[in-house]
């Protein structure tokens, strides 16, 4: 079919020839037709739904420590509400820095349910790389999980930070002084931005990539 078209009209551009025969054209789908996008359940919805169905089931464990789904949901809800209490807007970037721990998981989920955009920073990265991620990601809040501290932060960079206990998920010196019920969690929509990750930077400056909740 392709060769016949070329022989019949050899002067035409290559892009004008077709690989589709008359017979196959009738059965192939229309490539210009709009396909309805299936609705996928969001991570935040799935998590809270499971916490309601199986609150006493183990959700996460580390060594001898473990949390049920009910406990993880409580910590997630508290962290999310505290972020909203700081007037965090939907789409604002929240950096989460710390070692692997129960508090790190709660901080990640808390960021997602608050409508914030999660920027996870590995504590083992060089300080320069951490500062670059905060700057390029335009982080507005920083959750410091564990006792690593924030010596790596640029003194000239204005960012509101909170310290979180690694094993309890409690926000140090903040939670007891706030009325968490006054800060309601937003409804997260599929098209809202959810997370930022960075390329390796092996060919130059690392580039930030933004993903959304439906992804």
């Amino acid at each position: 079919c392709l060769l016949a078209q070329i022989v019949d009209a050899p002067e035409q551009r290559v892009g004008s020839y077709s690989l589709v025969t008359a017979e196959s054209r009738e059965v192939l789908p229309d490539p210009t037709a709009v396909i309805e996008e299936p609705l996928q359940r969001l991570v935040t919805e799935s998590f809270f739904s499971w916490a309601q169905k199986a609150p006493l089931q183990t959700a996460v464990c580390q060594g001898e420590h473990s949390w049920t789904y009910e406990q993880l949901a409580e910590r997630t809800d508290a962290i999310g509400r505290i972020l909203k209490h700081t007037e965090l807007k939907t789409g604002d970037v929240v950096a989460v820095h710390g070692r692997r721990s129960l508090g790190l998981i709660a901080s990640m989920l808390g960021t997602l349910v608050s409508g914030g955009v999660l920027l996870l920073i590995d504590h083992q990265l060089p300080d320069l790389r951490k500062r670059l991620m905060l700057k390029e990601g335009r982080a507005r809040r920083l959750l410091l999980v564990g006792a690593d501290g924030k010596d790596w932060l640029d003194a000239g960079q204005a960012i509101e930070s909170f310290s979180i206990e690694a094993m309890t998920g409690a926000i140090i010196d903040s939670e007891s002084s706030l009325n968490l019920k006054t800060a309601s969690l937003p409804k997260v929509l599929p098209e809202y931005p959810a997370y930022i990750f960075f390329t390796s930077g092996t060919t130059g400056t690392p580039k930030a990539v933004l993903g959304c909740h439906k992804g």
Side-chain angles (χ1 to χ4, degrees), residues 169-207:
I171 297 185
I172 303 172
D173 298 331
S174 293
E175 197 168 331
S176 59
S177 61
L178 298 176
N179 183 3
L180 299 183
K181 295 182 180 180
T182 62
S184 58
L185 294 177
K187 178 176 176 57
V188 178
L189 299 179
E191 62 271 17
Y192 283 1
Y195 61 90
I196 291 177
F197 67 88
F198 279 79
T199 59
S200 62
T202 53
T203 58
T205 303
K207 302 296 190 298

Side-chain angles (χ1 to χ4, degrees), residues 4 25 33 38 51 53 62 85 106-107 109 114 129 141 155 159 162 208:
R25 184 172 290 109
K53 291 179 182 178
Q62 184 179 34
H85 197 280
S107 298
L109 282 170
S114 72
R129 175 64 181 260
R141 307 289 188 278
I159 183 169
F162 299 90

Side-chain angles (χ1 to χ4, degrees), residues 79-96:
I79 292 174
R81 289 177 185 275
I82 282 182
L83 287 172
K84 289 303 295 182
H85 197 280
T86 66
E87 299 183 355
L88 183 82
K89 297 181 176 61
T90 298
D92 283 351
V93 178
V94 179
V96 177

